[in-house]
Amino acid sequence: LHHTLQGSMQLCKAVESGGGSAIAIHARFTEDRPNVAAIPRAVLPLANSVQIPVIYNGDGFNPRDLKSLLKKSGCDSIMLARGAMWNASLFRTVGKGQPMLPPYDVARRYLKIAQLYENSVENSRKNLACMMSFRKMMGAKGVRESAEKALSFTDLETAVDAWEAGREHFMATTNTRKQLGSNNAKKKYRAPLKLVHRKFEWKKEEKREGKQPCDRSRNITNLTE
């Protein structure tokens, strides 16, 4: 995002006038860190300013996120990044409406494919550690270090087994705390990714364009051909 609405619109329209078939917008500013929450509502006027399909990107981690982000941003589709790296079964929920798989089941499938296509252990352990990074508080704490030091696929499979066992223990402990009425249960075991939310306003130095939004019934045939 540009720091002004006018600057962001100009860029979007430049892509459109230059013959772009679609445009993807990441709902953060260049200086924002990954732990700073994306701003989907900032994308809405940009999506309304062009007639080509607009693809939203930023903080899509589960099916509920995807529906909410599409609604707030007014975009035609969503591009996944960290959410897909942490649990690629997120794609199952789009269109097919199937539930996400447990992350360690996805990890086992990944390791089988990695071996099938002769991917190196070095690269595979790096990707597996990335998959575990989102689940530090859900059984992966300590196991990720083992995965990063693995010397074989057998070592990686052992790490995934330990991950599953640790996660099951974590869930059992959490449920026990809730049953006992622990006041810290919800606070301590909240979702591991904590995003920093902030108030958002476009900078006032720039005047907003006075043109009416374009028709939202965009032609998206270019994306399906």
Side-chain angles (χ1 to χ4, degrees), residues 62-83:
N62 57 60
R64 183 174 55 187
D65 289 341
L66 304 188
K67 293 180 181 179
S68 175
L69 293 172
L70 277 177
K71 183 178 180 180
K72 291 179 180 179
S73 66
C75 290
D76 301 285
S77 60
I78 289 183
M79 178 188 298
L80 300 176
R82 290 183 293 173

Side-chain angles (χ1 to χ4, degrees), residues 1-4 8 11 24-43 46 56-61 69 79 81-83 86 193-198 200 202:
L1 293 172
H2 191 275
H3 279 284
T4 64
S8 297
L11 178 58
I25 301 176
H26 182 66
R28 286 186 177 87
F29 297 100
T30 54
E31 68 272 14
D32 287 343
R33 305 302 300 168
N35 67 322
V36 176
I39 317 169
R41 65 187 180 88
V43 179
L46 306 180
Y56 175 86
N57 177 248
D59 296 348
F61 304 124
L69 293 172
M79 178 188 298
R82 290 183 293 173
W86 290 329
L193 184 69
K194 295 182 179 180
L195 294 173
V196 179
H197 295 267
R198 68 303 182 49
F200 167 75
W202 292 106

Side-chain angles (χ1 to χ4, degrees), residues 72-108:
K72 291 179 180 179
S73 66
C75 290
D76 301 285
S77 60
I78 289 183
M79 178 188 298
L80 300 176
R82 290 183 293 173
M85 290 191 298
W86 290 329
N87 192 332
S89 69
L90 180 58
F91 289 107
R92 287 163 47 95
T93 68
V94 182
K96 298 180 180 179
Q98 298 178 349
M100 293 179 68
L101 298 173
Y104 38 80
D105 287 349
V106 177
R108 289 192 180 96

Side-chain angles (χ1 to χ4, degrees), residues 102-166:
Y104 38 80
D105 287 349
V106 177
R108 289 192 180 96
R109 176 61 177 160
Y110 166 71
L111 292 178
K112 289 181 179 179
I113 295 175
Q115 293 180 77
L116 178 64
Y117 289 95
E118 300 181 350
N119 193 38
S120 67
V121 173
E122 292 76 10
N123 181 261
S124 298
R125 69 188 183 192
K126 179 179 179 180
N127 293 332
L128 182 60
C130 180
M131 295 171 69
M132 291 177 170
S133 64
F134 182 54
R135 303 291 178 178
K136 287 182 180 179
M137 295 177 62
M138 299 187 71
K141 187 175 182 179
V143 180
R144 182 184 178 188
E145 288 74 12
S146 299
E148 292 174 334
K149 298 177 182 179
L151 300 177
S152 67
F153 279 101
T154 300
D155 293 340
L156 292 176
E157 291 166 355
T158 300
V160 173
D161 291 340
W163 182 16
E164 179 180 8

